[in-house]
Amino acid sequence: MICRLLALIAFALAPAVHAAASTSAFDQRVAAIRAEIMVDPARALTDAEKLRAAPHDGATQGHELATADWLRAEALLSQQKPGQALAIIHSALDNLRGAPGDFAIKGELILARAGAATAQGRVQDALQDNQIAYRLFVRAGDARGQAKALLVIGTLYSDAGDYATALRYFDQSIEAYSSDTALRLSAVNNRANALSQLRRFPEAVAAYEKALTYVRGTPNESLILRNLARAQAEAARFEPARTSLDRAFALSSPGVASGDLPALYGVAAFIAFHQHRLDEAETWISRALQQAIATDPETQRDLHHTAYDIFRARGDNSKALAELEAFRKLDDEQKAVAASATAALMNARFNFTNQELRINNLRNQQAATEARFRFRMLLGLFSAVAVVSTLLLIGFLSIRRSRNQVRAANATLRTTNVALEKALAAKTEFLATTSHEIRTPLNGILGMTQVILAGRQLDPTLRSRIELVHGAGETMKALVDDILDVAKMETGELRIQTGEMDLKRLLEDAVTVWTGQAETKRIGIEFDLDHCPGKIVADEVRLRQIIFNLMSNAIKFTDRGQVRLAAFAETDDETGAERLVVRVADSGIGIPADRLEEIFESFRQVDGGVTRRHGGTGLGLAICRSLARAMGGDVAVDSTLGTGSTFTLALPLERVAAEAAIADRQAATSLGTAELLMIEPNPLGQGIMRALLTGECAGIQFVTDISSALEALQAGTIDHVIAEGSALGLDPAAAGELAAACGAAHARFTLLLREPGAELIGEFAAHGVAHVVSKPISAPDLLSEMNRVYGNPVDCRTIAA
Ligand code: ADP
C-alpha cells in the first residue's frame, strides 16, 4: 500500500538543467515546454516541434536542436510512446556525434533513452543508459542530473525487489544534490518505501516525516501521510498512525485521485485490525475492497492480505481463503516481474562483483524454488477448497487443516530463506576473519625468514631451504590476500580509494618486475607506453593489483614468443569521455571460446592439469574484474586457442592537470636558469642568501616552513629547493618527504646542515636526501656546491628514492 510517487518522480525528472540560468528567449521557451510536459504532453510535443523548426543561431544551433529533440522525446514518453521517442533520441544523438562538450544535453538524451527502455521493459538497457547519463552529468558538473540518474537507478532496483541496493542509490541521489525539493522528495519518499520493504519501519517513519516537510500544502501531502500512517502502524505506533491517517482523510476529498481512497481505507483497516477492533477493521476493509479495482496492483495485493488477516481472525474461513487466493495471484505476478527485472539487472553486470551476482543467482534459484513450492501449495489449496465445499456439509475441519498447511509451508519457506542468508553471511564472515587472522602470523614468518636470509654467514643448503619456506609463505600470503578480497567483495566492503598517481611509472615497474621471470622462461617482454597518460587520479594499489595479475597470467601461460604491455587513452565517441586502456597480450596457450567468460568467475580455471602445473587458484581474474567494475570500468578478453590471449582493462580516465604540466616541464639545466625556493625562517638568513644568490639564478623566493614549500612545489615552477636543516627540525623523515616531492616535481634539492657528522649525513641519505652541504661554508664554495648538482641531468627517482 506504499505510494510510489511516480507522478512526483516524473515531475522531478522534468529537467531543469538550463532553467536556473536561463534568460534567453530560447531558454524561456524550453522552461515553458518542460512545465507543459507535466500537464499537457500533446501540446508540449507540438510546441517542441515548433521550437525545433524555428530559426536557430549558428553558434548554438547544435545545442538548440538537440534540446528541442529532447523535449519532443520527453513529451512522447509522457504519452507512453517510447518507440517514437527513441527514433528522435537516436537521430539527436547522431547529430551530436563528434560535437565536443555539451555533456548536459547528451546526458538528458541518454536519460530519456533510459526512460524509453524502462517503458519497454528493457531493464538492462535502462540501467546501462542511466549509468552513461550519470557519467555525462559528472562531466558536465551537473549535480542535479547526477541525482536524477541515481534516483532512477534506485527505482530500477526497487522494481527488481533489491531494496538494499535501491536504498544505496537513493542515499547517493540525496547526497548528490539537495536543492531541488521535488527531486529530493522523490528520493526521500522512495528511500522510505525501500526501508518499509526491508521492514526497517522506525527508519521509514523518520524518512516519511522528512518527506512530509517538503509537501505541506500540496496535493501530495495526503499520499505521504498515508505512507507514514502505514509505516507507523507497522512499527506498532498506532496512535500517531491514526493521527496521520486522519490528516490524510481530511486532505483527501478535494485533491486526491479516487484511487487513493481505498488505500486509505486499507490503512485504516490495518490499524484497526492490529488494535483488535475487528468490527471496525471489517467495515474499513469491505469498503476498500469495493473500490479496490481503482488502485494499482501493489495496493490491491496489500488490501487482500489485510482482508485475509481480518477474515481469518473473525473465523470466516471461506472469505479468508478467497482473499488469500487473490493475494497469492497478485503476489506471484509481482514476484515474476521482479524476478525478470532482477535477472536483467544481473545481466547488465553493473557495478557488481561476480560474487554478488552469484549470491543473487542463489537468491533467484531460491525464489524459483519458493515459487514452485508455492505453486504446489496453491494446487493443494485448490484441492482443499474443493474438499472444503464438499465437506462444508460436515464441518470446517478440513479448511482449518489446509490453512494450517499453508501457514506451516510459509513458515518453512521463511525459515529456509533466513537460514540461507545466514549461511552465506556466516561463510563470508568466516572467510574474512580466518584470512585476516592467518595474515598476522604469516607476516611474522615471512619477516623472520627475510631476516635469516639477510645473514651473510648462512650455510648454502640452509639458505636454499629457507628460500623455499619464504617462497611458499609468499604464495600463501597472496592466496590469503585474494580470499580476503573475495570476502570483501561479497560483503560489499571493497572500497576504491583514489589519489594522484604516476601511471607510467607503475607500468614501467610492472615490466621491470616481470622481466626476470620472462627471461627465465626465454620469452620477451615488449611495451608501448609512448601514448600512456602520466599522472592520473586512480586507486594505485588496486590498479597495480589488476595489472600485475594480468602480467603474471600472461607470463605463466606463455612458453614461447612474447608478452606485450601497452597503455593509451581513447575518447568515447558517444559521451566524449576519456578512457584509459591497458592491454596485456601474450602468445601463449590461449583460451577456448566457450570458456572466455567463465574464467572471470571465482575458482574457475580452464584446465586443471595445465594450471596445476602453473599454480594459481582461479581467483585472480574474478578479483580483477570486480575491481575494474568498482572503478567504473571492466576487464575483457580476446583469445585464440594455441595462438595467444589479449586482456584489455578499460577505465574512466581522470588526468591530473597540474601534475601533467609538471611532467611535461623541462628541468633547468644550470643554476643560472633555475627558479630557487629556500626554506629559511630567519629574516637575517634570508637577507644573506638573497644577497648571495641574486644574479646567480633566474629568481629566488623564500618560505618559512616545509608545508609552504610543498605547496609552492605544486605549482610546478620551482627548479631547485634549498632547505636550512634547522628549519626542518633536523628531521630526516621530513627532509625525505621534501626530497620526494622535489623529485616528483622535477626539482633539485639541497639540504644545508651545520657541521653534520658522517652518521647524520648517512641518516638523511637513507631517507633519500642525496645532496647535503655542510656549513659553515664560504659564498663561492656554496655557489659551486649548488652548481655541482646541475652536472648531471636531474633524475627525480634517484633523488627521491
Ligand atoms: P589463476 O591464474 O590463479 O588460476 P585467474 O583467475 O587469474 O586464476 O585465471 C583463471 C584461469 O584463466 C587460469 O587458470 C587460466 O586457465 C585462464 N587464464 C588466465 N589468463 C590466461 C592467459 N593469459 N592465457 C591463457 N589462459 C589464461
Short mmCIF file of all heavy atoms in Angstrom, two decimals, residues 355-388:
data_model
loop_
_atom_site.label_atom_id
_atom_site.label_comp_id
_atom_site.label_asym_id
_atom_site.label_seq_id
_atom_site.Cartn_x
_atom_site.Cartn_y
_atom_site.Cartn_z
N GLN A 355 30.81 -12.08 -7.27
CA GLN A 355 30.30 -12.75 -6.09
C GLN A 355 28.89 -12.29 -5.78
O GLN A 355 28.05 -13.10 -5.42
CB GLN A 355 31.21 -12.47 -4.90
CG GLN A 355 32.46 -13.30 -4.90
CD GLN A 355 33.28 -13.13 -6.16
OE1 GLN A 355 33.39 -12.02 -6.67
NE2 GLN A 355 33.82 -14.21 -6.68
N GLU A 356 28.65 -10.98 -5.96
CA GLU A 356 27.31 -10.51 -5.70
C GLU A 356 26.34 -11.15 -6.68
O GLU A 356 25.24 -11.54 -6.34
CB GLU A 356 27.25 -8.99 -5.82
CG GLU A 356 27.45 -8.34 -4.47
CD GLU A 356 27.43 -6.85 -4.58
OE1 GLU A 356 28.33 -6.31 -5.22
OE2 GLU A 356 26.51 -6.23 -4.02
N LEU A 357 26.82 -11.29 -7.95
CA LEU A 357 25.97 -11.93 -8.93
C LEU A 357 25.64 -13.35 -8.51
O LEU A 357 24.53 -13.83 -8.64
CB LEU A 357 26.68 -11.97 -10.29
CG LEU A 357 26.77 -10.62 -11.00
CD1 LEU A 357 27.61 -10.74 -12.25
CD2 LEU A 357 25.39 -10.13 -11.37
N ARG A 358 26.67 -14.01 -7.98
CA ARG A 358 26.44 -15.40 -7.57
C ARG A 358 25.41 -15.46 -6.45
O ARG A 358 24.53 -16.30 -6.45
CB ARG A 358 27.75 -16.01 -7.07
CG ARG A 358 28.61 -16.41 -8.22
CD ARG A 358 30.01 -16.65 -7.77
NE ARG A 358 30.57 -17.64 -8.65
CZ ARG A 358 30.71 -18.90 -8.35
NH1 ARG A 358 30.37 -19.33 -7.18
NH2 ARG A 358 31.19 -19.75 -9.22
N ILE A 359 25.54 -14.54 -5.50
CA ILE A 359 24.58 -14.55 -4.40
C ILE A 359 23.18 -14.28 -4.94
O ILE A 359 22.22 -14.94 -4.60
CB ILE A 359 24.97 -13.50 -3.34
CG1 ILE A 359 26.24 -13.97 -2.66
CG2 ILE A 359 23.86 -13.33 -2.32
CD1 ILE A 359 26.74 -13.02 -1.63
N ASN A 360 23.12 -13.29 -5.88
CA ASN A 360 21.81 -13.01 -6.46
C ASN A 360 21.26 -14.23 -7.17
O ASN A 360 20.07 -14.52 -7.12
CB ASN A 360 21.92 -11.85 -7.45
CG ASN A 360 21.85 -10.53 -6.71
OD1 ASN A 360 21.42 -10.51 -5.55
ND2 ASN A 360 22.27 -9.46 -7.33
N ASN A 361 22.16 -14.94 -7.87
CA ASN A 361 21.74 -16.16 -8.55
C ASN A 361 21.13 -17.12 -7.56
O ASN A 361 20.07 -17.70 -7.79
CB ASN A 361 22.94 -16.83 -9.21
CG ASN A 361 23.03 -16.42 -10.66
OD1 ASN A 361 22.01 -16.10 -11.25
ND2 ASN A 361 24.22 -16.42 -11.22
N LEU A 362 21.86 -17.27 -6.44
CA LEU A 362 21.37 -18.18 -5.41
C LEU A 362 19.99 -17.75 -4.94
O LEU A 362 19.08 -18.55 -4.80
CB LEU A 362 22.32 -18.15 -4.21
CG LEU A 362 23.46 -19.14 -4.24
CD1 LEU A 362 24.36 -18.92 -3.04
CD2 LEU A 362 22.91 -20.55 -4.20
N ARG A 363 19.86 -16.40 -4.75
CA ARG A 363 18.58 -15.89 -4.29
C ARG A 363 17.49 -16.19 -5.32
O ARG A 363 16.39 -16.58 -4.99
CB ARG A 363 18.67 -14.37 -4.10
CG ARG A 363 19.36 -14.02 -2.83
CD ARG A 363 18.90 -12.63 -2.38
NE ARG A 363 19.76 -12.21 -1.31
CZ ARG A 363 20.62 -11.20 -1.42
NH1 ARG A 363 20.72 -10.53 -2.53
NH2 ARG A 363 21.38 -10.88 -0.40
N ASN A 364 17.87 -16.00 -6.62
CA ASN A 364 16.90 -16.26 -7.67
C ASN A 364 16.46 -17.71 -7.68
O ASN A 364 15.29 -18.03 -7.82
CB ASN A 364 17.51 -15.93 -9.03
CG ASN A 364 17.03 -14.58 -9.48
OD1 ASN A 364 16.43 -13.86 -8.69
ND2 ASN A 364 17.28 -14.24 -10.72
N GLN A 365 17.48 -18.60 -7.55
CA GLN A 365 17.15 -20.02 -7.52
C GLN A 365 16.21 -20.28 -6.35
O GLN A 365 15.24 -21.01 -6.46
CB GLN A 365 18.41 -20.86 -7.34
CG GLN A 365 19.18 -21.00 -8.65
CD GLN A 365 20.59 -21.45 -8.38
OE1 GLN A 365 20.92 -21.90 -7.29
NE2 GLN A 365 21.44 -21.35 -9.38
N GLN A 366 16.54 -19.63 -5.24
CA GLN A 366 15.72 -19.81 -4.05
C GLN A 366 14.30 -19.33 -4.33
O GLN A 366 13.32 -19.98 -4.00
CB GLN A 366 16.34 -19.02 -2.89
CG GLN A 366 15.56 -19.09 -1.61
CD GLN A 366 15.60 -20.48 -1.02
OE1 GLN A 366 16.35 -21.33 -1.49
NE2 GLN A 366 14.75 -20.73 -0.05
N ALA A 367 14.23 -18.14 -5.03
CA ALA A 367 12.91 -17.60 -5.33
C ALA A 367 12.15 -18.55 -6.24
O ALA A 367 10.94 -18.77 -6.08
CB ALA A 367 13.05 -16.24 -6.00
N ALA A 368 12.88 -19.15 -7.23
CA ALA A 368 12.23 -20.07 -8.16
C ALA A 368 11.71 -21.29 -7.40
O ALA A 368 10.57 -21.73 -7.60
CB ALA A 368 13.21 -20.49 -9.24
N THR A 369 12.57 -21.81 -6.50
CA THR A 369 12.16 -22.98 -5.72
C THR A 369 10.93 -22.63 -4.90
O THR A 369 9.95 -23.38 -4.83
CB THR A 369 13.28 -23.37 -4.73
OG1 THR A 369 14.50 -23.23 -5.40
CG2 THR A 369 13.11 -24.77 -4.22
N GLU A 370 11.01 -21.42 -4.33
CA GLU A 370 9.91 -20.96 -3.50
C GLU A 370 8.62 -20.88 -4.33
O GLU A 370 7.56 -21.31 -3.91
CB GLU A 370 10.27 -19.56 -3.00
CG GLU A 370 9.56 -19.15 -1.75
CD GLU A 370 10.03 -17.75 -1.37
OE1 GLU A 370 11.26 -17.52 -1.40
OE2 GLU A 370 9.18 -16.92 -1.08
N ALA A 371 8.80 -20.32 -5.60
CA ALA A 371 7.63 -20.15 -6.45
C ALA A 371 7.04 -21.51 -6.80
O ALA A 371 5.82 -21.69 -6.78
CB ALA A 371 8.03 -19.40 -7.73
N ARG A 372 7.94 -22.50 -7.12
CA ARG A 372 7.44 -23.85 -7.45
C ARG A 372 6.69 -24.43 -6.26
O ARG A 372 5.62 -24.99 -6.39
CB ARG A 372 8.63 -24.75 -7.82
CG ARG A 372 9.01 -24.63 -9.30
CD ARG A 372 9.82 -25.84 -9.73
NE ARG A 372 11.03 -26.01 -8.94
CZ ARG A 372 12.17 -25.36 -9.19
NH1 ARG A 372 12.22 -24.52 -10.18
NH2 ARG A 372 13.22 -25.56 -8.43
N PHE A 373 7.31 -24.25 -5.10
CA PHE A 373 6.74 -24.79 -3.87
C PHE A 373 5.36 -24.17 -3.64
O PHE A 373 4.38 -24.83 -3.35
CB PHE A 373 7.71 -24.44 -2.72
CG PHE A 373 7.47 -25.25 -1.48
CD1 PHE A 373 6.87 -26.50 -1.53
CD2 PHE A 373 7.88 -24.76 -0.25
CE1 PHE A 373 6.68 -27.24 -0.39
CE2 PHE A 373 7.69 -25.51 0.90
CZ PHE A 373 7.09 -26.75 0.82
N ARG A 374 5.34 -22.82 -3.87
CA ARG A 374 4.09 -22.11 -3.65
C ARG A 374 3.01 -22.58 -4.62
O ARG A 374 1.85 -22.73 -4.29
CB ARG A 374 4.33 -20.61 -3.79
CG ARG A 374 3.47 -19.84 -2.84
CD ARG A 374 3.65 -18.36 -2.96
NE ARG A 374 5.00 -17.95 -2.66
CZ ARG A 374 5.77 -17.32 -3.54
NH1 ARG A 374 5.34 -17.07 -4.75
NH2 ARG A 374 6.96 -16.94 -3.19
N PHE A 375 3.47 -22.84 -5.89
CA PHE A 375 2.53 -23.30 -6.90
C PHE A 375 1.91 -24.61 -6.45
O PHE A 375 0.70 -24.81 -6.51
CB PHE A 375 3.27 -23.48 -8.23
CG PHE A 375 2.37 -23.95 -9.34
CD1 PHE A 375 1.37 -23.12 -9.84
CD2 PHE A 375 2.51 -25.22 -9.87
CE1 PHE A 375 0.54 -23.56 -10.86
CE2 PHE A 375 1.68 -25.66 -10.88
CZ PHE A 375 0.69 -24.83 -11.38
N ARG A 376 2.79 -25.49 -5.96
CA ARG A 376 2.29 -26.78 -5.47
C ARG A 376 1.31 -26.56 -4.31
O ARG A 376 0.28 -27.17 -4.22
CB ARG A 376 3.46 -27.66 -5.02
CG ARG A 376 3.77 -28.72 -6.09
CD ARG A 376 4.84 -29.64 -5.62
NE ARG A 376 6.11 -29.25 -6.21
CZ ARG A 376 7.24 -29.15 -5.55
NH1 ARG A 376 7.29 -29.42 -4.29
NH2 ARG A 376 8.33 -28.80 -6.16
N MET A 377 1.69 -25.62 -3.44
CA MET A 377 0.83 -25.33 -2.31
C MET A 377 -0.53 -24.84 -2.78
O MET A 377 -1.56 -25.19 -2.24
CB MET A 377 1.46 -24.25 -1.42
CG MET A 377 2.64 -24.69 -0.60
SD MET A 377 2.35 -26.21 0.28
CE MET A 377 0.83 -25.85 1.12
N LEU A 378 -0.45 -24.01 -3.85
CA LEU A 378 -1.67 -23.44 -4.38
C LEU A 378 -2.58 -24.55 -4.92
O LEU A 378 -3.78 -24.56 -4.68
CB LEU A 378 -1.33 -22.44 -5.49
CG LEU A 378 -2.31 -21.29 -5.65
CD1 LEU A 378 -2.46 -20.54 -4.33
CD2 LEU A 378 -1.83 -20.36 -6.73
N LEU A 379 -1.93 -25.49 -5.64
CA LEU A 379 -2.69 -26.63 -6.15
C LEU A 379 -3.37 -27.34 -4.99
O LEU A 379 -4.55 -27.66 -5.03
CB LEU A 379 -1.75 -27.60 -6.86
CG LEU A 379 -1.48 -27.30 -8.34
CD1 LEU A 379 -0.58 -28.38 -8.92
CD2 LEU A 379 -2.79 -27.23 -9.12
N GLY A 380 -2.52 -27.54 -3.95
CA GLY A 380 -3.03 -28.21 -2.75
C GLY A 380 -4.20 -27.41 -2.18
O GLY A 380 -5.21 -27.98 -1.76
N LEU A 381 -4.03 -26.11 -2.27
CA LEU A 381 -5.04 -25.23 -1.70
C LEU A 381 -6.36 -25.36 -2.47
O LEU A 381 -7.44 -25.47 -1.89
CB LEU A 381 -4.52 -23.80 -1.78
CG LEU A 381 -5.17 -22.81 -0.87
CD1 LEU A 381 -4.93 -23.21 0.58
CD2 LEU A 381 -4.59 -21.43 -1.12
N PHE A 382 -6.21 -25.40 -3.83
CA PHE A 382 -7.42 -25.55 -4.65
C PHE A 382 -8.15 -26.85 -4.30
O PHE A 382 -9.35 -26.89 -4.15
CB PHE A 382 -7.06 -25.54 -6.14
CG PHE A 382 -6.88 -24.15 -6.68
CD1 PHE A 382 -5.78 -23.82 -7.45
CD2 PHE A 382 -7.82 -23.15 -6.39
CE1 PHE A 382 -5.60 -22.55 -7.92
CE2 PHE A 382 -7.65 -21.87 -6.88
CZ PHE A 382 -6.53 -21.56 -7.64
N SER A 383 -7.34 -27.91 -4.18
CA SER A 383 -7.97 -29.19 -3.84
C SER A 383 -8.64 -29.05 -2.49
O SER A 383 -9.75 -29.54 -2.28
CB SER A 383 -6.96 -30.33 -3.79
OG SER A 383 -5.79 -29.96 -4.39
N ALA A 384 -7.93 -28.34 -1.61
CA ALA A 384 -8.50 -28.18 -0.28
C ALA A 384 -9.84 -27.46 -0.36
O ALA A 384 -10.80 -27.83 0.30
CB ALA A 384 -7.54 -27.42 0.61
N VAL A 385 -9.88 -26.44 -1.27
CA VAL A 385 -11.13 -25.69 -1.41
C VAL A 385 -12.24 -26.62 -1.90
O VAL A 385 -13.38 -26.60 -1.39
CB VAL A 385 -10.95 -24.51 -2.40
CG1 VAL A 385 -12.30 -23.85 -2.69
CG2 VAL A 385 -10.00 -23.50 -1.81
N ALA A 386 -11.87 -27.48 -2.91
CA ALA A 386 -12.88 -28.41 -3.43
C ALA A 386 -13.38 -29.32 -2.31
O ALA A 386 -14.60 -29.51 -2.14
CB ALA A 386 -12.26 -29.24 -4.56
N VAL A 387 -12.40 -29.81 -1.58
CA VAL A 387 -12.77 -30.71 -0.49
C VAL A 387 -13.64 -29.98 0.51
O VAL A 387 -14.66 -30.49 0.97
CB VAL A 387 -11.49 -31.27 0.20
CG1 VAL A 387 -11.87 -32.06 1.45
CG2 VAL A 387 -10.73 -32.15 -0.76
N VAL A 388 -13.24 -28.73 0.74
CA VAL A 388 -13.98 -27.94 1.74
C VAL A 388 -15.44 -27.80 1.34
O VAL A 388 -16.35 -28.00 2.15
CB VAL A 388 -13.33 -26.54 1.90
CG1 VAL A 388 -14.27 -25.60 2.63
CG2 VAL A 388 -12.05 -26.66 2.67
#
